Amino acid sequence: DMLDPERLIQCPLVKHHRIRARRFPYHLVKCKESNPKIAKKLATCPFNARHLVPQADLSDHIMKCNDKAFVEQDVVSRSCEPPQEQLNNGSTWQAPPCDEDWET
């Protein structure tokens, strides 16, 4: 199951590292710092920062990345929303001026 936080994921930097999914982002940061020469040869996927691929394979990965669909879907759904200004303004109704004078 891809959503299981306990599943083991292979580290893209050091192949014998197997990390639980819930710890994977933290591991990537530390492993990049510990292995700068290997990290320099890898590129980060623009759709999922957990995807590190050899720089030469990045364009191929971008074409095939499963997370690309989620980003494209988000862009489409945002284009169907009303502009933010209209959401913030809400109604254009204003109360009429009050002619009452409670002091008199």
Side-chain angles (χ1 to χ4, degrees), residues 36-96:
K37 288 182 182 177
I38 298 171
K40 201 179 285 188
K41 297 176 185 177
L42 299 176
T44 304
C45 170
F47 304 114
N48 187 334
R50 296 178 182 186
H51 296 170
L52 297 178
V53 295
Q55 289 181 355
D57 298 339
L58 182 61
S59 59
D60 187 49
H61 173 82
I62 289 172
M63 297 299 289
K64 297 176 183 176
C65 182
N66 292 335
D67 292 322
K68 179 180 179 180
F70 296 118
V71 173
E72 289 173 341
Q73 183 180 9
D74 187 46
V75 169
V76 169
S77 67
R78 286 178 188 248
S79 68
C80 296
E81 293 175 0
Q84 193 63 32
E85 302 146 2
Q86 291 177 0
L87 291 175
N88 290 343
N89 292 342
S91 174
T92 57
W93 181 84
Q94 293 182 356

